[in-house]
Amino acid sequence: MPLPGQFYMLAAERHWEEDGSRPFLPRALSVADAASLDDGVRLDFLIEGIGPGTDRLCELKVGEGVWVNGPLGNAFSTPSKLHHVWGEIDPERDAVQPAGAILVGGGIGIAPLALLRRRFSDQGVPSRVLLGFRDQAHSGGLEDLFACCEIGLASEDGHVGHRGYVTDLLSAMLDGDDAASAAVYACGPPPMLDAVADLCLTRDVPCELAMESPMACGYGACFGCAAPKPDGGYLRLCVDGPVLRAGPAGPVAAGDSPPPAVAEASSGAAPPATPPAGSRESEGPSTDDADAVDFCGLKLKNRVINASGTFDAIAARRVYGGALLEDFPFSAFVSKTITLKPRAGNEPQRIWETPAGMINSIGLPNKGLDGFLAEDLPQLAELPVPLIVSVMGTSREEFARLVDGVGGREEVAAIELNVSCPNVHSGLIVGEQPTETLALLEALRSLTAKPLMVKLTPNVADPAAIAVAAEEGGADAVSLINTLKASAFDPVTCRPGVAAGHGGLSGPAVRPIAVAQVRSVAAAIDLPVVGMGGVSNGADAWELICAGATLVAVGTESFRDPRAGLRIADDLSERFAKPS
Ligand code: RRO
């Protein structure tokens, strides 16, 4: 059962990517209501068709299948919890007994408030509801969701209730006698949330906001749903939110997020979600020793690993708990690329859906070498598979310090040298020129006995020439392809889809290019090749193996299906078992 404020990733099962076109990614939707049934849970969502993904969901017919991943994210706190946290933040504030909750919603964003109001009513928490709509077309009887309680309505066109903004109603309510002891919960468009936060902060009223952002995965893997933190850097709304606490310099992660693996449902923290069950044939073959493979001396249980930066095992473990480790989706884990110094990553918007794929401009957010070794490595060492750490430097010296730093740690089985990030200035230069690649490998080779794998870019005329240079320099393997440099423009605003103006294209759209490049690289060198690029199923993985790959990495598909690696490994296992 979801908690109020949590969300699900939804995609129509059939024709979701008919003809390889949009919609490609699932859509994040807050749950509006939920009920326990004898044979499961009923979930209600409010969906407004505003683009290919929501349009497709609105077209669903009775009986059609839907991919459902969730519940995800953190939940609203109770007023007493919120007052308690608020009191700790503001020591000047007198302890107050919370009188109740004020729920403020705007447009379609009111969805999570319906479930919240019902939960508060079950818990005996008095709540008042204020709803605002732009016009009649955008209200559509949504207030009926709150039919059982008293609500204040506002509309910009005056068709219902107060003519104006819902925040006018909130302002008046907060100026009432019991304002200090209220707690405010809001969802709606960003300008409304800003206005609500301002009203509450100036009156010292505790306030939580449910935020929205484009996201590809919902469980911390894609780094797309970045929201600025007041003290610099970004948080990920899917795992640090979507419910945030209003703060003087901007919203901050609510105390309970990200959800711990074991949580009290009443605390506002969420219990771990269950990885979607339908995504792997439960009766299908399980991989066994017949699927095992030696890769640069590492004994892997099958040929399927993850593409760097497309699966955050630490965040995924917080979301899915121990289940993730019991059935880990990959036979080796490749970390997101780390750099010497911490990086916040690129400003949002960071992702943009394209036909059969997506553009990312994440910009390498990471804790830097020291932060990685101190905080992430101990957790990654608990994974049940060998760990490959991906590193990127802006100079040979930086690469050397990174290789030295991670190579000296026994938890690390191998190192990937990312010479192909399309989103970082200088990220590509080494990987674009064979002489630079050779010189880099010659500088690094003597620093570690661990396998060195070079991640190649597809953004050059002849990737095989770079692979040959890597081999000559002493690399043990190559991996390809990284994403293809790409841009998209929003047809409504005429602005670039990602804030940086360009990013890296991934997903099924790039697969034929990956197949061609894996083929030419594998033919040019004697090293094992990790092939990746748009692999969504076993047939795609098999094609890369036919082209010469030893291992196959799954990237963007894990955003849509956290268990894609298992599904693909099962399918590959069957294909290898069949006599050719
Ligand atoms: O973080 C990124 O923006 C990123 C990296 Br490091 C990479 O290697 N490839 C990519 O598509 N994005």
Side-chain angles (χ1 to χ4, degrees):
M1 285 290 281
L3 299 172
Q6 289 195 290
F7 68 95
Y8 287 77
M9 300 300 290
L10 295 186
E13 187 186 33
R14 279 189 300 114
H15 307 305
W16 185 255
E17 50 175 325
E18 194 172 35
D19 303 328
S21 64
R22 295 179 74 191
F24 172 64
L25 299 169
R27 297 299 192 262
L29 289 157
S30 299
V31 61
D33 205 356
S36 250
L37 305 176
D38 288 345
D39 55 349
V41 178
R42 196 200 74 214
L43 301 171
D44 292 357
F45 299 94
L46 273 181
I47 307 178
E48 184 179 12
I50 51 161
T54 44
D55 284 349
R56 177 66 189 91
L57 290 169
C58 288
E59 287 162 9
L60 281 171
K61 303 272 183 304
V62 173
E64 272 197 69
V66 181
W67 287 50
V68 178
N69 184 9
L72 298 166
N74 67 353
F76 288 111
S77 319
T78 58
S80 34
K81 176 88 194 297
L82 188 48
H83 268 269
H84 178 72
V85 176
W86 205 264
E88 284 168 5
I89 295 164
D90 179 2
E92 300 294 303
R93 188 185 159 81
D94 293 330
V96 280
Q97 266 309 97
I102 302 174
L103 279 49
V104 188
I108 195 83
I110 67 172
L113 297 184
L115 183 58
L116 183 64
R117 197 212 54 81
R118 223 158 51 73
R119 286 295 157 83
F120 280 168
S121 140
D122 294 348
Q123 293 165 351
V125 175
S127 48
R128 291 170 280 177
V129 177
L130 301 175
L131 303 179
F133 301 104
R134 204 188 312 159
D135 50 36
Q136 193 145 17
H138 286 88
S139 72
L142 291 180
E143 68 271 21
D144 293 352
L145 284 169
F146 301 87
C148 54
C149 68
E150 203 182 305
I151 50 177
L153 293 174
S155 55
E156 289 171 46
D157 67 351
H159 80 276
V160 64
H162 162 76
R163 179 188 288 270
Y165 295 120
V166 69
T167 42
D168 303 338
L169 303 180
L170 176 65
S171 172
M173 193 173 271
L174 290 179
D175 288 339
D177 290 345
D178 54 358
S181 58
V184 171
Y185 301 85
C187 340
M192 186 206 99
L193 293 184
D194 288 347
V196 169
D198 273 358
L199 287 172
C200 292
L201 289 164
T202 49
R203 291 163 175 81
D204 196 21
V205 172
C207 172
E208 281 185 340
L209 313 164
M211 313 275 287
E212 285 180 8
S213 160
M215 58 180 77
C217 69
Y219 66 98
C222 75
F223 289 81
C225 56
K229 284 198 283 191
D231 55 352
Y234 297 95
L235 44 75
R236 279 173 284 178
L237 276 181
C238 65
V239 287
D240 302 321
V243 175
L244 302 181
R245 206 176 48 232
V252 293
D256 282 327
S257 69
V262 179
E264 290 170 44
S266 61
S267 71
T274 313
S279 56
R280 187 190 191 192
E281 297 282 328
S282 44
E283 283 91 39
S286 64
T287 50
D288 56 27
D289 281 354
D291 303 305
V293 59
D294 183 295
F295 175 73
C296 302
L298 310 182
K299 308 277 174 279
L300 307 187
K301 69 174 187 222
N302 62 52
R303 291 172 191 268
V304 180
I305 67 172
N306 66 299
S308 170
T310 61
F311 196 93
D312 180 341
I314 297 173
R317 193 173 169 190
R318 287 203 304 254
V319 173
Y320 296 120
L324 181 81
L325 301 196
E326 278 158 32
D327 228 359
F328 196 70
F330 308 108
S331 65
F333 179 73
V334 188
S335 75
K336 176 145 183 73
T337 302
I338 60 162
T339 50
L340 198 54
K341 297 271 171 266
R343 288 178 53 92
N346 288 349
E347 110 184 61
Q349 183 159 335
R350 291 178 170 184
I351 56 171
W352 188 261
E353 186 182 70
T354 61
M358 59 177 277
I359 294 172
N360 87 78
S361 169
I362 306 301
L364 249 172
N366 77 97
K367 297 174 180 167
L369 177 63
D370 292 344
F372 173 81
L373 293 178
E375 294 169 33
D376 291 357
L377 188 57
Q379 299 183 66
L380 295 177
E382 289 175 11
L383 300 178
V385 296
L387 173 64
I388 302 174
V389 176
S390 173
V391 301
M392 196 207 88
T394 52
S395 63
R396 271 175 232 158
E397 293 68 37
E398 272 196 23
F399 263 113
R401 287 172 65 187
L402 285 157
V403 167
D404 210 33
V406 294
R409 299 297 293 258
E410 61 178 5
E411 303 94 319
V412 179
I415 301 170
E416 180 176 83
L417 306 172
N418 185 352
V419 295
S420 50
C421 175
N423 295 329
V424 177
H425 182 64
S426 81
L428 264 173
I429 293 166
V430 174
E432 281 177 339
Q433 294 159 10
T435 48
E436 287 290 325
T437 309
L438 175 62
L440 178 70
L441 265 295
E442 284 175 347
L444 301 180
R445 184 60 282 179
S446 60
L447 299 179
T448 181
K450 296 203 162 136
L452 289 176
M453 173 161 87
V454 181
K455 176 83 170 266
L456 303 177
T457 177
N459 300 305
V460 289
D462 185 11
I466 311 289
V468 168
E471 181 174 38
E472 209 181 316
D476 299 280
V478 298
S479 50
L480 72 158
I481 57 174
N482 206 323
T483 52
L484 282 141
K485 217 166 176 178
S487 286
F489 278 77
D490 184 325
V492 178
T493 62
C494 236
R495 295 172 60 82
V498 290
H502 67 83
L505 179 68
S506 64
V510 309
R511 195 163 51 79
I513 298 169
V515 173
Q517 297 201 357
V518 165
R519 176 174 175 267
S520 81
V521 164
I525 56 174
D526 288 325
L527 304 178
V529 172
V530 180
M532 70 195 89
V535 171
S536 333
N537 53 44
D540 300 344
W542 181 249
E543 195 179 4
L544 281 173
I545 284 172
C546 295
T550 299
L551 302 184
V552 172
V554 179
T556 308
E557 182 66 9
S558 294
F559 297 163
R560 308 199 306 168
D561 175 6
R563 289 160 64 90
L566 297 169
R567 172 165 54 78
I568 292 168
D570 278 355
D571 188 304
L572 266 191
S573 173
E574 268 184 30
R575 286 168 195 270
F576 272 103
K578 271 193 199 136
S580 50

